[in-house]
Amino acid sequence: MAAALCPCRAVLARRGGALRALCGSVRGLAAGPETHFGFQTVTEAERREKIYQVFESVAKKYDVMNDSMTLGIHRVWKDILVHKMNPSPGTLLLDVAGGTGDIAFRFINYVRSVRERQLQRKLKHHQNLSWQEISESYQEDKSKSLGDSQVVVCDINKEMLKVGKQKAQHLGYSEGLSWVLGNAEELPFDDDMFDVYTIAFGIRNVTRIDLALQEAYRVLKPGGRFLCLEFSHVSNPLLSRLYDLYSFQVIPVLGEVIAGDWKSYQYLVESIRRFPPQEELKAMIEDAGFFKVDYQNLNSGIVAIHSGFKL
Amino acid sequence: GQGQGSGSARLEPSLLRFLVCPLSKRPLRYEEATNELINEELGIAYPIIDGIPNMIPEAARTTRKKPPAEGSKQP
């Protein structure tokens, strides 16, 4: 991809040390601090650009690829996230890097079913009302099937949002759902706004994770909850080897066959390896000011849900 | 929500209560004529495309051509 910029970089990426620093400083004086794109070393500006291109390229096939790569298990992970959130009607959710809407739709479904159960319970207690009164109470409740719950989906990528919005239209989601093109590192929302902030399989692609966490803290109400669903590290050695094999041998091939895009999925696999493990991410979340930070491993650490509260 | 026609480029009213300028975190004004969210202080406008506000600072345009001069905005 950007190998032309520095021929020695590909070799140095593995060697590290003084040579890499020299190469980087000679090449990247204006472009900013160094970071990684998968296993390559790039400047922050380059990384943002490359990641944007990855998602621009995969947007239309994003959902199909998720199903293929994870054999549909990503759906379960996302279900677990929303169940853990356990939102009640009236909850305000900000879903960051939520592109194609998976978390947003689940949130809406969950809140709707909670609301329905609430209504049913209410009706059970109204046994001696007249039919007139019952139908009136039905009507006023029906107009708030979400009970004032709202989800704002924020993503930095136009193509991903486009896909998400189309999906929403197609599946019939409109009430309580909004879409914003924005940067997780620089959110266009006021302080103390949201009850819950989620970022599912997105934080890995953020260039300055510390800034994103600070912004998450800022926009949450006191008492608000931060929830992060992301690929993490598998400590079991046998499982780890199988996982590596699957990741490096199967996934890029799937990427090429299904989406015609080997490189993007190569990036995906590498970015997962580069991402901080559970304890390190926990520390970063605590650094942003969150309390009661903990994590829950899913599938032995292939994925983890980190949670924290703003007090 | 309200019956939104297809291809509506207009902003969802409920979003306005959440959005601020990502740079200054200050409130924005919705300009219906140009379908933009304006930060008067900094003199920048964020476009709304297909109903989705683009709140990336790099995408915003400046509303003032000359800093002091007249107060009128050019489309």
Side-chain angles (χ1 to χ4, degrees), chain A residues 13 26 46 89 108 216 269 283 297 305:
Chain A
V26 164
E46 283 172 336
I108 291 174
V269 170
N297 277 334
I305 297 179

Side-chain angles (χ1 to χ4, degrees), chain A residues 193-244:
Chain A
M193 283 252 84
F194 296 96
D195 297 306
V196 186
Y197 172 113
T198 49
I199 183 164
F201 301 115
I203 202 164
R204 195 180 77 251
N205 302 306
V206 169
T207 299
R208 289 285 307 275
I209 295 177
D210 56 332
L211 292 181
L213 292 172
Q214 283 169 32
E215 281 290 86
Y217 190 86
R218 181 180 66 78
V219 304
L220 276 170
K221 288 182 192 163
R225 188 176 199 181
F226 169 87
L227 283 166
C228 168
L229 172 65
E230 188 54 83
F231 289 108
S232 198
H233 283 241
V234 176
S235 44
N236 176 306
L238 174 61
L239 185 58
S240 179
R241 288 207 54 200
L242 288 172
Y243 182 40
D244 279 350

Side-chain angles (χ1 to χ4, degrees), chain A residues 85-100:
Chain A
M85 189 196 306
N86 191 23
S88 45
T91 299
L92 268 171
L93 169 65
L94 175 64
D95 181 33
V96 175
T100 58

